[in-house]
Amino acid sequence: MDRRKEELEKKRQKLAELRRAREERRALLESQSTQSSSTTTTTSNTGRDRKAIDDLVALVLGERPSTPNAATQNGSDRGSDAGSDFSNSRPTSANFGYSSPGTPVSTLSMLSTSSQAAQAAPVYVAELTESQAFIADIPPLEHVVYSKEIQTTDGSLEAPEISEEEIRKQIMEEFELKEKIKMAQLEEEIKRAEQEKHEEIRELTEEEAKKIQKTQEFAEFVDISSKLVERALNEKYDFMKDYTLGIDVESDENSGKHVKFVCEFWDEKWCKNRSVTDVNWSLKYPELVVSSYNKNPLAPNEPDGVALVWNEHLLDRPEFVFHSQSDVLSVMFSKFHPNYIIGGTYSGQIVLWDTRAKSLPVLKTPLSAGGHTHPVYSIEMVGTQNAHNLISASTDGFVCSWQLDMLAQPQDYLELLHPAHNKTDEVSVTCMGFPDNETTAFWAGTEEGNVYQANRYDRAGSKAGINQYDTYRGHHGMVTGLNFHPLHGPVDFSDLYLTSSVDWTVKLWRAKSISKTSTQAAAIQPLYSFEHADDYVYDVKWSPSHPALFGTVDGTGQFDLWNLNADTEEPFVSTQVGSGKALNKIAWDKEGKKTAIGSSDGHVYVYDIGEMATPKPEDWSLLQKNISEMISNQENPAGK
């Protein structure tokens, strides 16, 4: 900045000098113009004499006079030839000052003749004009030259004029000023808060409070907030547990053979006078369980069918409540859409609920001949994430394939017919199951007690529909449950499946290979029959983690766990559930650690299986050995 100021000051001084020089030149020109005007008169008089002298000199030298009159006059005296002689001739030394050789010419006579000629010649006066010259003062272009040296002015690196103490003092003053401003703002906020405390808070009137309570926003806020609080309060973690003691409360010798009761789900409004028709665990959220219910005959104004989503951390009420116009007989979480819940109803409709929407279905199948017109007791989802279908079976003998985004009409429509069926050709399907590695072939349990193998499409060696030759005959009553062994572990047991029936038995079957179908009618017998129950056996499910473990529920409220590697005559663990009412459905969670059991009095019970759910490395080989013995006993019944 200092250097720039110095450059500007130098430029100002230079401009002042240029202005002063221009003023001096202008004054000089004005003085010269006044002098020239005063001498014009004198120069005009002397000009005449000078002109005459010049003409005289020209005559002496023999040149043409400067005035045309003198030339014509001389021409008249000397003739025309004289004019031509003097036109281009220059005087010689012989006639310079002499008229003829040897005859001198007097100077006086020459002056007299010249004066006479001058008096006779006309006089011309020169006209003078004034002109003023303007001088443009244009400064020269400054030639800037840069050097690589440090371009700093002298003294720029010198110590500042302000001392260190003064700088410190200024900083301290600024800091104190900021602190004072901050303290003043805090005092103002404190005063404002005290004033607000002292101000009387206006209470809402009863009408205003009721109006707010009736709004949808208030109801949703209370519902969501109370759910969050209840989840936190239901946390059963032992905060007072002492890890230094090293004592395990459940370390008794019989703890491995006991199931532990976890919780019970029941709601006064939605579960009273209803029965649980199906239960299912969420694969995405392991704490969620969905249960379906039939109609409450004492509440005609409530929806006929209900599906409730329960949370293990929210015990007193359901997480979601979904309605249906008909009794919901089967329900499941979608395997590939964690927000979708699918239900099969008594009217034959397939309904789809979304946890992000309201309680009514977002999609449902029409009540027409294009879909089911009889109760749907069984639904299954087969396929992969990118290509999957919902398969539903009803008691009218129809099996439909649906896409979840288009329930207006089924993608495939298959009617199960068997000519040997009693009275009618239709097969009334009550349950069905798909092996884990199969999407087209399935097995269906029927009302008369038989199990049939069927194909969704035509394939090599078999046509779409029921296999007319192979009949799995063993039950003497309606088949209530059918479940295939999950495909996991080092040994493949996916061809084994279990069935339960109202004939008080559970039977183990080995599915015949699809590629080796019979060419004539054949009755296939079960590998083993479990006949421990004293009432209807309503459902049976394999454990998803242990190869030899499965669970059953019956009409006496008994929950039995069977281990084929331990005992086939008696259940491994038998538990009385609830108040002794009939148990309709059982479902294992994804890890195989817990089971959800639906009761006919509307309760859903959750049990922890404990150590029994963890298999040992030798369990697969041991089960393989036991199954081989069962197969050999079936093939050679005489040697049994």
Side-chain angles (χ1 to χ4, degrees), residues 528 633 636-640:
Y528 197 83
N633 292 335
N636 302 311
K640 185 174 178 179

Side-chain angles (χ1 to χ4, degrees), residues 458-475:
D458 292 339
R459 55 193 304 170
S462 60
K463 294 183 178 180
I466 285 181
N467 182 351
Q468 304 292 330
Y469 299 110
D470 293 333
T471 304
Y472 296 83
R473 200 183 305 275
H475 286 294

Side-chain angles (χ1 to χ4, degrees), residues 307-488:
L308 305 180
V309 178
W310 303 96
N311 190 335
E312 288 185 286
H313 305 295
L314 187 66
L315 304 179
D316 295 334
R317 57 174 172 158
E319 188 79 28
F320 299 101
V321 178
F322 298 113
H323 301 164
S324 174
Q325 295 178 348
S326 180
D327 300 19
V328 184
L329 303 180
S330 55
V331 70
M332 67 177 298
F333 280 100
S334 173
K335 293 182 180 179
F336 310 106
H337 306 86
N339 297 109
Y340 289 173
I341 297 171
I342 309 160
T345 65
Y346 185 81
S347 63
Q349 282 185 308
I350 306 296
V351 293
L352 177 67
W353 296 288
D354 193 333
T355 56
R356 299 164 293 185
K358 301 295 183 181
S359 58
L360 294 176
V362 294
L363 287 174
K364 57 183 177 180
T365 60
L367 284 171
S368 63
H372 296 294
T373 56
H374 284 64
V376 179
Y377 281 99
S378 182
I379 54 176
E380 291 284 342
M381 183 165 284
V382 296
T384 61
Q385 174 71 41
N386 299 323
H388 53 269
N389 294 98
L390 175 69
I391 310 299
S392 61
S394 62
T395 56
D396 58 355
F398 285 99
V399 175
C400 296
S401 174
W402 310 86
Q403 285 186 340
L404 294 184
D405 56 352
M406 188 183 68
L407 295 181
Q409 58 183 1
Q411 189 177 15
D412 295 314
Y413 194 79
L414 178 66
E415 185 176 10
L416 303 182
L417 300 174
H418 198 280
H421 196 267
N422 296 331
K423 297 182 181 179
T424 59
D425 291 343
E426 294 87 358
V427 175
S428 180
V429 180
T430 56
C431 56
M432 69 174 175
F434 283 81
D436 277 355
N437 56 354
E438 188 62 56
T439 59
T440 58
F442 62 95
W443 277 253
T446 61
E447 284 184 351
E448 71 270 13
N450 294 334
V451 178
Y452 298 100
Q453 186 267 323
N455 298 313
R456 292 173 56 198
Y457 310 110
D458 292 339
R459 55 193 304 170
S462 60
K463 294 183 178 180
I466 285 181
N467 182 351
Q468 304 292 330
Y469 299 110
D470 293 333
T471 304
Y472 296 83
R473 200 183 305 275
H475 286 294
H476 301 283
M478 181 180 70
V479 180
T480 56
L482 188 150
N483 185 242
F484 271 87
H485 196 287
L487 181 61
H488 70 89

Side-chain angles (χ1 to χ4, degrees), residues 14-29:
K14 191 181 291 186
L15 289 173
E17 291 177 0
L18 292 173
R19 290 193 188 96
R20 188 165 55 254
R22 186 171 59 186
E23 292 295 333
E24 290 177 357
R25 284 196 295 271
R26 187 180 297 171
L28 180 62
L29 289 173

